[in-house]
Amino acid sequence: GFLIFIFLNGVVSNAAANYTGYFFDDVMKTPLEIGLIFGTWTLFEIPVMKFSRALIDTFGNARLIMLGLLFNGLRLILFSFFTLETPYLWKLTASLLQGPGFGLTHIGIIDFVDRQAHPDMRATYMNIMNVARMSLASALGGIMGSWMIAQRGSAFLMQFCGFGLIALIFFFAFLVRGQRRQEKTGL
């Protein structure tokens, strides 16, 4: 169940990531605006990573994964409503959801995989997860994203991917089984 989840997450996340710059080109007035967003949207990833052990111990990896998916899903849905006339501050503020969204999902997934793996096979399990998320998933996300843009536009792609990430919360909650809390793994 987890490999299916991570594969679908890879398809949806990569579809959005591959074309975010393309989308921004439609809704931002200058390249500087795009650059400022790309340059600052990971700011809140820093405290998430700094306090990762406390977050995992307090909330558990499953909740962190689902909360991260929610933040990124909401970010993409908000993006889909942007136009050239949308105030830049709103665009910048929505983009700041990227940091905690990615950070929480990332530390939750690493901890989740660590807990599933045999202690001597943790790196192998992590590599299998990364292959499932990035290789074919990335290619399919790129193809799916370009097709959706051609059919309905880049705003539709952002909205579709946002709702897709939120749907993955339910997939994870109900279909992914595993050890979600256990001894500390040394993250």
Side-chain angles (χ1 to χ4, degrees):
F2 180 76
L3 285 177
I4 294 169
F5 161 78
I6 205 69
F7 174 78
L8 293 172
N9 184 18
V11 171
V12 173
S13 296
N14 284 306
N18 289 341
Y19 297 104
T20 299
Y22 180 86
F23 169 73
F24 281 169
D25 194 43
D26 290 341
V27 300
M28 302 289 181
K29 294 179 180 168
T30 69
L32 179 61
E33 289 180 345
I34 298 171
L36 286 172
I37 284 182
F38 282 139
T40 59
W41 72 353
T42 59
L43 282 176
F44 293 112
E45 193 176 315
I46 296 167
V48 170
M49 295 300 179
K50 180 169 177 49
F51 299 106
S52 60
R53 175 50 48 206
L55 289 166
I56 291 167
D57 290 344
T58 302
F59 299 105
N61 54 37
R63 286 189 191 111
L64 295 179
I65 292 168
M66 293 185 283
L67 187 59
L69 290 170
L70 179 64
F71 283 156
N72 272 329
L74 290 174
R75 174 182 56 89
L76 293 172
I77 291 167
L78 289 172
F79 280 5
S80 74
F81 293 109
F82 294 164
T83 65
L84 205 53
E85 293 76 33
T86 303
Y88 183 73
L89 185 60
W90 293 7
K91 296 172 187 175
L92 181 64
T93 302
S95 74
L96 292 175
L97 290 171
Q98 166 68 21
F102 174 81
L104 292 170
T105 303
H106 191 67
I107 65 172
I109 286 172
I110 290 172
D111 189 70
F112 186 87
V113 170
D114 249 8
R115 293 176 194 275
Q116 305 312 303
H118 182 279
D120 296 331
M121 300 286 290
R122 287 184 173 143
T124 302
Y125 276 53
M126 196 62 63
N127 284 334
I128 291 169
M129 183 274 303
N130 281 322
V131 167
R133 185 183 70 191
M134 294 307 294
S135 59
L136 182 59
S138 183
L140 289 176
I143 293 167
M144 179 188 82
S146 64
W147 180 81
M148 285 187 174
I149 288 171
Q151 299 300 311
R152 306 277 306 267
S154 60
F156 176 79
L157 174 65
M158 295 296 122
Q159 190 172 61
F160 178 87
C161 291
F163 282 117
L165 290 174
I166 290 171
L168 282 172
I169 295 169
F170 297 100
F171 183 99
F172 185 84
F174 297 113
L175 299 176
V176 175
R177 299 288 178 242
Q179 300 171 14
R180 296 176 184 209
R181 281 194 173 284
Q182 184 177 311
E183 79 286 343
K184 292 183 180 179
T185 59
L187 176 70

